[in-house]
CSV table of all heavy atoms in Angstrom, one decimal:
chain,number,residue,atom,x,y,z
Q,1,MET,N,185.2,131.2,133.2
Q,1,MET,CA,185.7,130.5,131.9
Q,1,MET,C,186.9,131.3,131.5
Q,1,MET,O,186.8,132.5,131.3
Q,1,MET,CB,184.5,130.6,130.9
Q,1,MET,CG,184.8,129.8,129.7
Q,1,MET,SD,183.3,129.3,128.9
Q,1,MET,CE,182.6,128.1,130.0
Q,2,PRO,N,188.0,130.6,131.2
Q,2,PRO,CA,189.2,131.3,130.8
Q,2,PRO,C,189.0,131.9,129.4
Q,2,PRO,O,188.4,131.3,128.5
Q,2,PRO,CB,190.3,130.2,130.8
Q,2,PRO,CG,189.5,128.9,130.7
Q,2,PRO,CD,188.2,129.1,131.3
Q,3,LEU,N,189.5,133.1,129.2
Q,3,LEU,CA,189.5,133.8,127.9
Q,3,LEU,C,190.9,134.0,127.4
Q,3,LEU,O,191.3,135.1,127.2
Q,3,LEU,CB,188.7,135.1,128.0
Q,3,LEU,CG,187.2,135.0,128.3
Q,3,LEU,CD1,186.6,136.3,128.7
Q,3,LEU,CD2,186.5,134.3,127.2
Q,4,HIS,N,191.6,132.9,127.2
Q,4,HIS,CA,193.0,133.0,126.8
Q,4,HIS,C,193.1,133.6,125.3
Q,4,HIS,O,192.2,133.3,124.5
Q,4,HIS,CB,193.7,131.7,126.8
Q,4,HIS,CG,193.7,131.1,128.2
Q,4,HIS,ND1,194.4,131.7,129.3
Q,4,HIS,CD2,193.2,130.0,128.7
Q,4,HIS,CE1,194.2,131.0,130.3
Q,4,HIS,NE2,193.5,129.9,130.0
Q,5,ASP,N,194.1,134.3,125.1
Q,5,ASP,CA,194.3,134.9,123.7
Q,5,ASP,C,194.3,133.9,122.6
Q,5,ASP,O,193.9,134.2,121.5
Q,5,ASP,CB,195.6,135.8,123.7
Q,5,ASP,CG,195.5,137.0,124.5
Q,5,ASP,OD1,194.3,137.5,124.8
Q,5,ASP,OD2,196.5,137.6,124.9
Q,6,GLU,N,194.8,132.7,122.9
Q,6,GLU,CA,194.9,131.6,121.9
Q,6,GLU,C,193.6,131.3,121.3
Q,6,GLU,O,193.5,131.0,120.1
Q,6,GLU,CB,195.5,130.4,122.5
Q,6,GLU,CG,197.0,130.5,122.8
Q,6,GLU,CD,197.2,131.2,124.1
Q,6,GLU,OE1,196.3,131.3,125.0
Q,6,GLU,OE2,198.3,131.8,124.3
Q,7,TYR,N,192.5,131.3,122.1
Q,7,TYR,CA,191.2,131.0,121.5
Q,7,TYR,C,190.7,132.0,120.5
Q,7,TYR,O,190.2,131.7,119.5
Q,7,TYR,CB,190.1,130.9,122.7
Q,7,TYR,CG,190.4,129.8,123.7
Q,7,TYR,CD1,190.7,130.1,125.0
Q,7,TYR,CD2,190.4,128.5,123.3
Q,7,TYR,CE1,190.9,129.1,125.9
Q,7,TYR,CE2,190.6,127.5,124.2
Q,7,TYR,CZ,190.9,127.8,125.5
Q,7,TYR,OH,191.1,126.8,126.4
Q,8,LEU,N,191.0,133.3,120.8
Q,8,LEU,CA,190.6,134.4,119.8
Q,8,LEU,C,191.5,134.3,118.6
Q,8,LEU,O,191.1,134.5,117.5
Q,8,LEU,CB,190.7,135.7,120.5
Q,8,LEU,CG,190.2,136.9,119.7
Q,8,LEU,CD1,188.7,136.7,119.3
Q,8,LEU,CD2,190.3,138.2,120.5
Q,9,LYS,N,192.8,134.1,118.8
Q,9,LYS,CA,193.8,134.0,117.6
Q,9,LYS,C,193.3,133.0,116.6
Q,9,LYS,O,193.4,133.2,115.4
Q,9,LYS,CB,195.2,133.7,118.1
Q,9,LYS,CG,195.8,134.9,118.8
Q,9,LYS,CD,197.2,134.5,119.3
Q,9,LYS,CE,197.8,135.6,120.2
Q,9,LYS,NZ,199.1,135.2,120.7
Q,10,GLU,N,192.9,131.9,117.1
Q,10,GLU,CA,192.4,130.8,116.2
Q,10,GLU,C,191.3,131.3,115.3
Q,10,GLU,O,191.2,130.9,114.1
Q,10,GLU,CB,192.0,129.6,116.9
Q,10,GLU,CG,193.1,128.8,117.6
Q,10,GLU,CD,192.6,127.6,118.4
Q,10,GLU,OE1,191.4,127.4,118.5
Q,10,GLU,OE2,193.5,126.9,118.9
Q,11,MET,N,190.4,132.1,115.8
Q,11,MET,CA,189.2,132.6,115.1
Q,11,MET,C,189.6,133.7,114.2
Q,11,MET,O,188.8,134.1,113.3
Q,11,MET,CB,188.1,133.0,116.1
Q,11,MET,CG,187.5,131.8,116.8
Q,11,MET,SD,186.2,132.3,117.9
Q,11,MET,CE,187.1,132.6,119.4
Q,12,GLN,N,190.7,134.4,114.4
Q,12,GLN,CA,191.1,135.5,113.5
Q,12,GLN,C,191.9,135.0,112.3
Q,12,GLN,O,192.2,135.8,111.4
Q,12,GLN,CB,192.0,136.5,114.3
Q,12,GLN,CG,191.2,137.2,115.4
Q,12,GLN,CD,192.1,138.0,116.3
Q,12,GLN,OE1,193.2,137.7,116.5
Q,12,GLN,NE2,191.5,139.0,116.9
Q,13,GLU,N,192.2,133.7,112.2
Q,13,GLU,CA,193.0,133.2,111.1
Q,13,GLU,C,192.0,132.7,110.0
Q,13,GLU,O,191.6,131.6,109.9
Q,13,GLU,CB,193.8,132.0,111.5
Q,13,GLU,CG,194.9,132.4,112.5
Q,13,GLU,CD,195.6,131.1,113.1
Q,13,GLU,OE1,195.3,130.0,112.7
Q,13,GLU,OE2,196.5,131.4,114.0
Q,14,SER,N,191.5,133.7,109.2
Q,14,SER,CA,190.6,133.5,108.1
Q,14,SER,C,190.9,134.3,106.9
Q,14,SER,O,191.4,135.4,107.1
Q,14,SER,CB,189.2,133.8,108.6
Q,14,SER,OG,188.3,133.7,107.5
Q,15,LEU,N,190.8,133.7,105.8
Q,15,LEU,CA,191.0,134.5,104.5
Q,15,LEU,C,189.9,135.3,104.1
Q,15,LEU,O,190.0,136.2,103.3
Q,15,LEU,CB,191.4,133.5,103.4
Q,15,LEU,CG,192.7,132.6,103.6
Q,15,LEU,CD1,192.8,131.6,102.5
Q,15,LEU,CD2,193.9,133.5,103.8
Q,16,VAL,N,188.7,135.1,104.6
Q,16,VAL,CA,187.5,135.7,104.2
Q,16,VAL,C,186.7,136.5,105.2
Q,16,VAL,O,185.7,137.2,104.9
Q,16,VAL,CB,186.5,134.8,103.5
Q,16,VAL,CG1,187.2,134.2,102.2
Q,16,VAL,CG2,186.1,133.6,104.4
Q,17,ALA,N,187.1,136.4,106.5
Q,17,ALA,CA,186.3,137.0,107.6
Q,17,ALA,C,187.2,137.7,108.6
Q,17,ALA,O,188.4,137.2,108.8
Q,17,ALA,CB,185.4,136.0,108.3
Q,18,ASP,N,186.7,138.7,109.3
Q,18,ASP,CA,187.5,139.3,110.4
Q,18,ASP,C,187.6,138.4,111.6
Q,18,ASP,O,188.5,138.3,112.3
Q,18,ASP,CB,186.8,140.6,110.8
Q,18,ASP,CG,186.9,141.7,109.7
Q,18,ASP,OD1,187.9,141.6,108.9
Q,18,ASP,OD2,186.0,142.6,109.7
Q,19,LEU,N,186.5,137.6,111.8
Q,19,LEU,CA,186.4,136.7,112.9
Q,19,LEU,C,185.6,135.5,112.5
Q,19,LEU,O,184.5,135.6,112.0
Q,19,LEU,CB,185.7,137.4,114.1
Q,19,LEU,CG,185.7,136.8,115.4
Q,19,LEU,CD1,187.1,136.7,115.9
Q,19,LEU,CD2,184.9,137.6,116.4
Q,20,ASN,N,186.2,134.3,112.6
Q,20,ASN,CA,185.6,133.1,112.2
Q,20,ASN,C,185.1,132.4,113.4
Q,20,ASN,O,185.9,132.1,114.3
Q,20,ASN,CB,186.7,132.3,111.5
Q,20,ASN,CG,186.2,131.0,110.9
Q,20,ASN,OD1,185.0,130.6,111.0
Q,20,ASN,ND2,187.1,130.3,110.2
Q,21,ASN,N,183.8,132.0,113.4
Q,21,ASN,CA,183.2,131.4,114.6
Q,21,ASN,C,183.5,129.9,114.7
Q,21,ASN,O,182.6,129.1,114.9
Q,21,ASN,CB,181.7,131.6,114.6
Q,21,ASN,CG,181.0,131.2,115.9
Q,21,ASN,OD1,181.7,130.9,116.9
Q,21,ASN,ND2,179.7,131.0,115.9
Q,22,LEU,N,184.7,129.5,114.4
Q,22,LEU,CA,185.2,128.1,114.5
Q,22,LEU,C,186.5,128.1,115.1
Q,22,LEU,O,187.5,128.6,114.6
Q,22,LEU,CB,185.2,127.5,113.1
Q,22,LEU,CG,183.9,127.4,112.3
Q,22,LEU,CD1,184.2,126.9,110.9
Q,22,LEU,CD2,183.0,126.4,113.0
Q,23,GLY,N,186.6,127.4,116.2
Q,23,GLY,CA,187.9,127.1,116.8
Q,23,GLY,C,188.6,125.9,116.1
Q,23,GLY,O,188.0,125.3,115.2
Q,24,LYS,N,189.8,125.7,116.4
Q,24,LYS,CA,190.5,124.5,115.8
Q,24,LYS,C,190.5,123.4,116.7
Q,24,LYS,O,191.2,123.4,117.7
Q,24,LYS,CB,191.9,124.9,115.4
Q,24,LYS,CG,191.9,126.0,114.3
Q,24,LYS,CD,193.3,126.3,113.9
Q,24,LYS,CE,193.2,127.4,112.8
Q,24,LYS,NZ,194.5,127.9,112.4
Q,25,GLY,N,189.8,122.3,116.4
Q,25,GLY,CA,189.8,121.1,117.3
Q,25,GLY,C,188.7,121.2,118.3
Q,25,GLY,O,187.9,122.1,118.4
Q,26,ARG,N,188.5,120.1,119.0
Q,26,ARG,CA,187.4,120.0,120.0
Q,26,ARG,C,187.8,120.6,121.3
Q,26,ARG,O,186.9,121.1,122.0
Q,26,ARG,CB,187.1,118.5,120.2
Q,26,ARG,CG,186.2,118.2,121.3
Q,26,ARG,CD,185.3,117.0,120.9
Q,26,ARG,NE,184.5,116.5,122.0
Q,26,ARG,CZ,183.6,117.2,122.8
Q,26,ARG,NH1,183.4,118.4,122.6
Q,26,ARG,NH2,183.0,116.6,123.8
Q,27,SER,N,189.0,120.6,121.7
Q,27,SER,CA,189.4,121.1,123.0
Q,27,SER,C,189.1,122.6,123.1
Q,27,SER,O,189.4,123.4,122.2
Q,27,SER,CB,190.9,120.9,123.2
Q,27,SER,OG,191.3,121.4,124.4
Q,28,GLY,N,188.5,123.0,124.2
Q,28,GLY,CA,188.2,124.4,124.5
Q,28,GLY,C,187.1,125.0,123.7
Q,28,GLY,O,187.0,126.2,123.5
Q,29,GLY,N,186.1,124.1,123.3
Q,29,GLY,CA,185.0,124.6,122.6
Q,29,GLY,C,184.2,125.7,123.3
Q,29,GLY,O,183.8,126.7,122.7
Q,30,ALA,N,183.9,125.5,124.6
Q,30,ALA,CA,183.1,126.4,125.4
Q,30,ALA,C,184.0,127.7,125.5
Q,30,ALA,O,183.4,128.8,125.5
Q,30,ALA,CB,182.8,125.9,126.7
Q,31,CYS,N,185.3,127.6,125.7
Q,31,CYS,CA,186.1,128.7,125.9
Q,31,CYS,C,186.2,129.5,124.5
Q,31,CYS,O,186.2,130.7,124.5
Q,31,CYS,CB,187.5,128.3,126.3
Q,31,CYS,SG,187.5,127.6,128.0
Q,32,SER,N,186.2,128.8,123.4
Q,32,SER,CA,186.2,129.5,122.1
Q,32,SER,C,184.9,130.2,121.9
Q,32,SER,O,184.9,131.3,121.4
Q,32,SER,CB,186.4,128.4,121.0
Q,32,SER,OG,187.6,127.8,121.0
Q,33,ALA,N,183.8,129.6,122.3
Q,33,ALA,CA,182.5,130.3,122.2
Q,33,ALA,C,182.5,131.6,123.1
Q,33,ALA,O,182.0,132.6,122.6
Q,33,ALA,CB,181.4,129.4,122.6
Q,34,ALA,N,183.0,131.5,124.3
Q,34,ALA,CA,183.1,132.7,125.1
Q,34,ALA,C,184.0,133.8,124.5
Q,34,ALA,O,183.6,135.0,124.6
Q,34,ALA,CB,183.6,132.3,126.5
Q,35,ALA,N,185.1,133.4,124.0
Q,35,ALA,CA,186.0,134.4,123.4
Q,35,ALA,C,185.3,135.0,122.2
Q,35,ALA,O,185.5,136.2,121.9
Q,35,ALA,CB,187.3,133.7,122.9
Q,36,PHE,N,184.6,134.3,121.4
Q,36,PHE,CA,183.8,134.8,120.3
Q,36,PHE,C,182.8,135.8,120.7
Q,36,PHE,O,182.7,136.9,120.2
Q,36,PHE,CB,183.2,133.7,119.5
Q,36,PHE,CG,182.3,134.2,118.3
Q,36,PHE,CD1,183.0,134.5,117.1
Q,36,PHE,CD2,181.0,134.3,118.4
Q,36,PHE,CE1,182.2,134.9,116.0
Q,36,PHE,CE2,180.2,134.7,117.3
Q,36,PHE,CZ,180.8,135.0,116.1
Q,37,LEU,N,182.0,135.5,121.7
Q,37,LEU,CA,180.9,136.3,122.2
Q,37,LEU,C,181.5,137.6,122.8
Q,37,LEU,O,180.9,138.7,122.7
Q,37,LEU,CB,180.1,135.6,123.3
Q,37,LEU,CG,179.2,134.5,122.7
Q,37,LEU,CD1,178.6,133.7,123.8
Q,37,LEU,CD2,178.2,135.0,121.7
Q,38,LYS,N,182.7,137.5,123.5
Q,38,LYS,CA,183.3,138.6,124.1
Q,38,LYS,C,183.6,139.8,123.1
Q,38,LYS,O,183.5,140.9,123.5
Q,38,LYS,CB,184.6,138.2,124.8
Q,38,LYS,CG,185.4,139.3,125.4
Q,38,LYS,CD,186.7,138.7,126.0
Q,38,LYS,CE,187.6,139.8,126.5
Q,38,LYS,NZ,188.6,140.2,125.5
Q,39,GLU,N,183.8,139.4,121.9
Q,39,GLU,CA,184.1,140.4,120.9
Q,39,GLU,C,182.9,141.3,120.6
Q,39,GLU,O,183.0,142.4,119.9
Q,39,GLU,CB,184.6,139.7,119.6
Q,39,GLU,CG,185.9,139.1,119.7
Q,39,GLU,CD,187.0,140.0,120.1
Q,39,GLU,OE1,187.3,141.0,119.4
Q,39,GLU,OE2,187.6,139.9,121.3
Q,40,PHE,N,181.7,140.9,121.0
Q,40,PHE,CA,180.5,141.7,120.7
Q,40,PHE,C,179.9,142.3,121.9
Q,40,PHE,O,178.8,142.8,121.9
Q,40,PHE,CB,179.5,140.7,120.0
Q,40,PHE,CG,180.0,140.2,118.8
Q,40,PHE,CD1,180.6,138.9,118.8
Q,40,PHE,CD2,179.9,140.9,117.6
Q,40,PHE,CE1,181.1,138.4,117.6
Q,40,PHE,CE2,180.4,140.3,116.4
Q,40,PHE,CZ,181.0,139.1,116.4
Q,41,VAL,N,180.6,142.3,123.1
Q,41,VAL,CA,180.1,142.9,124.3
Q,41,VAL,C,180.9,144.1,124.6
Q,41,VAL,O,182.2,144.1,124.6
Q,41,VAL,CB,180.2,141.9,125.5
Q,41,VAL,CG1,179.7,142.5,126.8
Q,41,VAL,CG2,179.4,140.6,125.2
Q,42,ALA,N,180.3,145.2,125.0
Q,42,ALA,CA,181.0,146.4,125.4
Q,42,ALA,C,181.8,146.2,126.6
Q,42,ALA,O,181.5,145.4,127.5
Q,42,ALA,CB,180.0,147.6,125.6
Q,43,ASN,N,183.0,146.9,126.7
Q,43,ASN,CA,183.9,146.7,127.8
Q,43,ASN,C,183.3,147.0,129.2
Q,43,ASN,O,183.7,146.4,130.2
Q,43,ASN,CB,185.1,147.6,127.6
Q,43,ASN,CG,186.0,147.0,126.5
Q,43,ASN,OD1,185.9,145.9,126.2
Q,43,ASN,ND2,186.8,147.9,125.9
Q,44,ASN,N,182.3,147.9,129.3
Q,44,ASN,CA,181.7,148.3,130.5
Q,44,ASN,C,180.5,147.5,130.9
Q,44,ASN,O,179.8,147.9,131.8
Q,44,ASN,CB,181.4,149.8,130.5
Q,44,ASN,CG,180.4,150.1,129.5
Q,44,ASN,OD1,180.1,149.3,128.6
Q,44,ASN,ND2,179.9,151.3,129.6
Q,45,VAL,N,180.3,146.4,130.3
Q,45,VAL,CA,179.1,145.5,130.5
Q,45,VAL,C,179.5,144.2,131.2
Q,45,VAL,O,180.4,143.5,130.6
Q,45,VAL,CB,178.3,145.3,129.2
Q,45,VAL,CG1,177.2,144.3,129.4
Q,45,VAL,CG2,177.8,146.6,128.6
Q,46,ASP,N,178.8,143.9,132.3
Q,46,ASP,CA,179.1,142.5,132.9
Q,46,ASP,C,178.3,141.5,132.1
Q,46,ASP,O,177.1,141.7,131.7
Q,46,ASP,CB,178.6,142.5,134.3
Q,46,ASP,CG,179.4,143.4,135.2
Q,46,ASP,OD1,180.6,143.6,134.9
Q,46,ASP,OD2,178.9,143.9,136.2
Q,47,TRP,N,178.9,140.4,131.8
Q,47,TRP,CA,178.3,139.3,131.0
Q,47,TRP,C,178.8,138.0,131.4
Q,47,TRP,O,179.8,137.9,132.1
Q,47,TRP,CB,178.4,139.6,129.5
Q,47,TRP,CG,179.9,139.4,129.0
Q,47,TRP,CD1,180.9,140.3,129.2
Q,47,TRP,CD2,180.4,138.3,128.4
Q,47,TRP,NE1,182.0,139.8,128.6
Q,47,TRP,CE2,181.8,138.6,128.2
Q,47,TRP,CE3,179.9,137.0,128.0
Q,47,TRP,CZ2,182.6,137.7,127.6
Q,47,TRP,CZ3,180.8,136.1,127.4
Q,47,TRP,CH2,182.1,136.5,127.2
Q,48,ALA,N,178.1,137.0,131.0
Q,48,ALA,CA,178.6,135.6,131.3
Q,48,ALA,C,178.2,134.7,130.1
Q,48,ALA,O,177.2,134.9,129.5
Q,48,ALA,CB,177.9,135.1,132.6
Q,49,HIS,N,179.0,133.7,129.9
Q,49,HIS,CA,178.7,132.7,128.9
Q,49,HIS,C,178.6,131.4,129.7
Q,49,HIS,O,179.5,131.0,130.4
Q,49,HIS,CB,179.8,132.5,127.9
Q,49,HIS,CG,179.6,131.4,126.9
Q,49,HIS,ND1,180.4,130.3,127.0
Q,49,HIS,CD2,178.7,131.1,126.0
Q,49,HIS,CE1,180.0,129.4,126.1
Q,49,HIS,NE2,179.0,129.9,125.5
Q,50,ILE,N,177.4,130.8,129.6
Q,50,ILE,CA,177.1,129.5,130.3
Q,50,ILE,C,177.0,128.4,129.3
Q,50,ILE,O,176.1,128.5,128.4
Q,50,ILE,CB,175.9,129.6,131.2
Q,50,ILE,CG1,176.1,130.8,132.2
Q,50,ILE,CG2,175.6,128.3,131.9
Q,50,ILE,CD1,174.8,131.1,133.0
Q,51,ASP,N,177.9,127.4,129.4
Q,51,ASP,CA,177.8,126.3,128.4
Q,51,ASP,C,177.5,125.1,129.2
Q,51,ASP,O,178.3,124.7,130.1
Q,51,ASP,CB,179.2,126.2,127.7
Q,51,ASP,CG,179.1,125.3,126.5
Q,51,ASP,OD1,178.6,124.2,126.6
Q,51,ASP,OD2,179.6,125.8,125.4
Q,52,ILE,N,176.4,124.5,128.9
Q,52,ILE,CA,176.0,123.2,129.6
Q,52,ILE,C,176.3,122.1,128.7
Q,52,ILE,O,175.7,122.0,127.6
Q,52,ILE,CB,174.5,123.3,130.0
Q,52,ILE,CG1,174.3,124.5,130.9
Q,52,ILE,CG2,174.0,122.0,130.6
Q,52,ILE,CD1,172.8,124.9,131.1
Q,53,ALA,N,177.1,121.2,129.1
Q,53,ALA,CA,177.5,120.0,128.3
Q,53,ALA,C,177.9,118.9,129.2
Q,53,ALA,O,177.9,119.0,130.4
Q,53,ALA,CB,178.7,120.4,127.4
Q,54,GLY,N,178.3,117.8,128.6
Q,54,GLY,CA,178.7,116.6,129.4
Q,54,GLY,C,180.0,116.8,130.1
Q,54,GLY,O,180.7,117.8,129.8
Q,55,VAL,N,180.3,115.9,131.0
Q,55,VAL,CA,181.6,116.0,131.7
Q,55,VAL,C,182.8,115.5,130.9
Q,55,VAL,O,182.6,114.7,129.9
Q,55,VAL,CB,181.5,115.3,133.1
Q,55,VAL,CG1,180.5,115.9,134.0
Q,55,VAL,CG2,181.2,113.8,132.8
Q,56,MET,N,184.0,115.9,131.2
Q,56,MET,CA,185.1,115.5,130.5
Q,56,MET,C,185.9,114.4,131.2
Q,56,MET,O,186.0,114.4,132.5
Q,56,MET,CB,186.1,116.7,130.4
Q,56,MET,CG,187.3,116.4,129.5
Q,56,MET,SD,188.2,118.0,129.3
Q,56,MET,CE,189.6,117.6,130.2
Q,57,ASP,N,186.4,113.4,130.5
Q,57,ASP,CA,187.2,112.4,131.1
Q,57,ASP,C,188.6,112.5,130.5
Q,57,ASP,O,188.9,112.2,129.4
Q,57,ASP,CB,186.6,111.0,130.7
Q,57,ASP,CG,187.3,109.8,131.3
Q,57,ASP,OD1,188.2,110.0,132.2
Q,57,ASP,OD2,187.1,108.7,130.8
Q,58,SER,N,189.5,113.0,131.4
Q,58,SER,CA,190.9,113.1,131.0
Q,58,SER,C,191.6,111.8,131.1
Q,58,SER,O,191.5,111.1,132.1
Q,58,SER,CB,191.6,114.2,131.8
Q,58,SER,OG,191.0,115.4,131.7
Q,59,GLN,N,192.3,111.4,130.1
Q,59,GLN,CA,193.1,110.2,130.1
Q,59,GLN,C,194.4,110.3,130.9
Q,59,GLN,O,194.9,109.2,131.3
Q,59,GLN,CB,193.4,109.7,128.7
Q,59,GLN,CG,192.1,109.5,127.8
Q,59,GLN,CD,191.2,108.4,128.5
Q,59,GLN,OE1,191.7,107.4,128.9
Q,59,GLN,NE2,189.9,108.7,128.5
Q,60,ALA,N,194.9,111.5,131.1
Q,60,ALA,CA,196.2,111.7,131.8
Q,60,ALA,C,196.2,113.1,132.4
Q,60,ALA,O,195.5,114.0,132.0
Q,60,ALA,CB,197.3,111.5,130.8
Q,61,THR,N,197.0,113.2,133.4
Q,61,THR,CA,197.2,114.5,134.0
Q,61,THR,C,198.1,115.4,133.1
Q,61,THR,O,199.1,114.9,132.7
Q,61,THR,CB,197.8,114.4,135.4
Q,61,THR,OG1,196.9,113.7,136.3
Q,61,THR,CG2,198.1,115.8,136.0
Q,62,ASP,N,197.6,116.5,132.7
Q,62,ASP,CA,198.3,117.4,131.8
Q,62,ASP,C,197.9,118.8,132.0
Q,62,ASP,O,196.7,119.2,131.9
Q,62,ASP,CB,197.9,117.0,130.3
Q,62,ASP,CG,198.7,117.9,129.3
Q,62,ASP,OD1,199.8,118.4,129.6
Q,62,ASP,OD2,198.2,118.0,128.2
Q,63,GLY,N,198.8,119.6,132.5
Q,63,GLY,CA,198.5,121.0,132.9
Q,63,GLY,C,197.5,121.1,134.0
Q,63,GLY,O,197.7,120.4,135.0
Q,64,TYR,N,196.4,121.8,133.8
Q,64,TYR,CA,195.4,121.9,134.9
Q,64,TYR,C,194.3,120.8,134.8
Q,64,TYR,O,193.5,120.7,135.6
Q,64,TYR,CB,194.7,123.3,134.9
Q,64,TYR,CG,194.0,123.6,133.6
Q,64,TYR,CD1,192.6,123.2,133.4
Q,64,TYR,CD2,194.6,124.3,132.6
Q,64,TYR,CE1,192.0,123.6,132.3
Q,64,TYR,CE2,193.9,124.7,131.4
Q,64,TYR,CZ,192.6,124.3,131.3
Q,64,TYR,OH,191.9,124.6,130.2
Q,65,HIS,N,194.4,119.9,133.7
Q,65,HIS,CA,193.5,118.8,133.6
Q,65,HIS,C,194.1,117.6,134.5
Q,65,HIS,O,195.3,117.3,134.4
Q,65,HIS,CB,193.4,118.3,132.2
Q,65,HIS,CG,192.7,119.3,131.3
Q,65,HIS,ND1,191.4,119.5,131.4
Q,65,HIS,CD2,193.2,120.1,130.4
Q,65,HIS,CE1,191.0,120.4,130.5
Q,65,HIS,NE2,192.1,120.8,129.9
Q,66,ILE,N,193.3,117.1,135.3
Q,66,ILE,CA,193.7,115.9,136.2
Q,66,ILE,C,193.1,114.7,135.7
Q,66,ILE,O,191.9,114.7,135.2
Q,66,ILE,CB,193.2,116.2,137.7
Q,66,ILE,CG1,193.7,117.5,138.2
Q,66,ILE,CG2,193.6,115.1,138.6
Q,66,ILE,CD1,195.2,117.7,138.2
Q,67,LYS,N,193.8,113.6,135.7
Q,67,LYS,CA,193.3,112.3,135.1
Q,67,LYS,C,192.0,111.9,135.8
Q,67,LYS,O,191.8,112.0,137.0
Q,67,LYS,CB,194.4,111.2,135.4
Q,67,LYS,CG,193.9,109.9,134.8
Q,67,LYS,CD,195.0,108.8,135.0
Q,67,LYS,CE,194.5,107.5,134.4
Q,67,LYS,NZ,195.5,106.5,134.4
Q,68,GLY,N,191.0,111.5,135.0
Q,68,GLY,CA,189.7,111.1,135.5
Q,68,GLY,C,188.7,112.0,135.1
Q,68,GLY,O,188.8,113.0,134.3
Q,69,MET,N,187.5,111.8,135.7
Q,69,MET,CA,186.3,112.7,135.5
Q,69,MET,C,186.5,114.0,136.1
Q,69,MET,O,186.9,114.1,137.3
Q,69,MET,CB,185.1,112.0,136.0
Q,69,MET,CG,184.7,110.7,135.3
Q,69,MET,SD,184.7,110.8,133.5
Q,69,MET,CE,183.1,111.6,133.3
Q,70,SER,N,186.4,115.1,135.4
Q,70,SER,CA,186.6,116.4,135.9
Q,70,SER,C,185.4,117.2,136.2
Q,70,SER,O,185.5,118.2,136.9
Q,70,SER,CB,187.5,117.2,135.0
Q,70,SER,OG,186.7,117.5,133.8
Q,71,GLY,N,184.3,116.9,135.6
Q,71,GLY,CA,183.1,117.7,135.8
Q,71,GLY,C,183.1,118.9,134.9
Q,71,GLY,O,182.2,119.8,134.9
Q,72,LYS,N,184.2,119.1,134.1
Q,72,LYS,CA,184.3,120.2,133.2
Q,72,LYS,C,184.1,119.7,131.8
Q,72,LYS,O,184.4,118.6,131.5
Q,72,LYS,CB,185.6,120.9,133.3
Q,72,LYS,CG,185.9,121.5,134.7
Q,72,LYS,CD,187.3,122.1,134.7
Q,72,LYS,CE,187.5,122.6,136.1
Q,72,LYS,NZ,188.8,123.2,136.2
Q,73,SER,N,183.7,120.6,130.9
Q,73,SER,CA,183.6,120.1,129.5
Q,73,SER,C,184.6,120.9,128.6
Q,73,SER,O,185.2,121.8,129.1
Q,73,SER,CB,182.2,120.4,129.0
Q,73,SER,OG,181.9,121.8,129.1
């Protein structure tokens, strides 16, 4: 699961909390959850975030998303 800095940056934009457990928008929900959990795991510990959800249907090819059913959420 990609842990891009953008997912964590969205959660750091809060007026009342150091880390807000809410990403912006629906896209990347599982990745946002993984980025959130990563903040609470020691660097020397192997861990995994498994998110079981429905498949994604991309309407167009954009970046690494290919048009059609991808099997990714």
Side-chain angles (χ1 to χ4, degrees):
M1 188 156 292
L3 294 170
H4 301 298
D5 291 337
E6 290 78 24
Y7 296 117
L8 187 57
K9 285 179 189 175
E10 290 178 356
M11 289 182 273
Q12 292 172 333
E13 297 173 1
S14 172
L15 298 175
V16 296
D18 294 332
L19 193 62
N20 184 358
N21 188 15
L22 295 172
K24 293 183 179 172
R26 173 143 166 61
S27 180
C31 295
S32 294
F36 179 80
L37 293 173
K38 178 180 173 267
E39 294 300 297
F40 301 95
V41 178
N43 289 335
N44 61 346
V45 175
D46 293 331
W47 67 281
H49 173 250
I50 300 172
D51 195 310
I52 300 170
V55 296
M56 187 175 109
D57 181 14
S58 297
Q59 299 301 315
T61 297
D62 181 25
Y64 62 87
H65 293 287
I66 306 300
K67 182 176 180 177
M69 300 304 286
S70 69
K72 298 178 182 180
S73 57

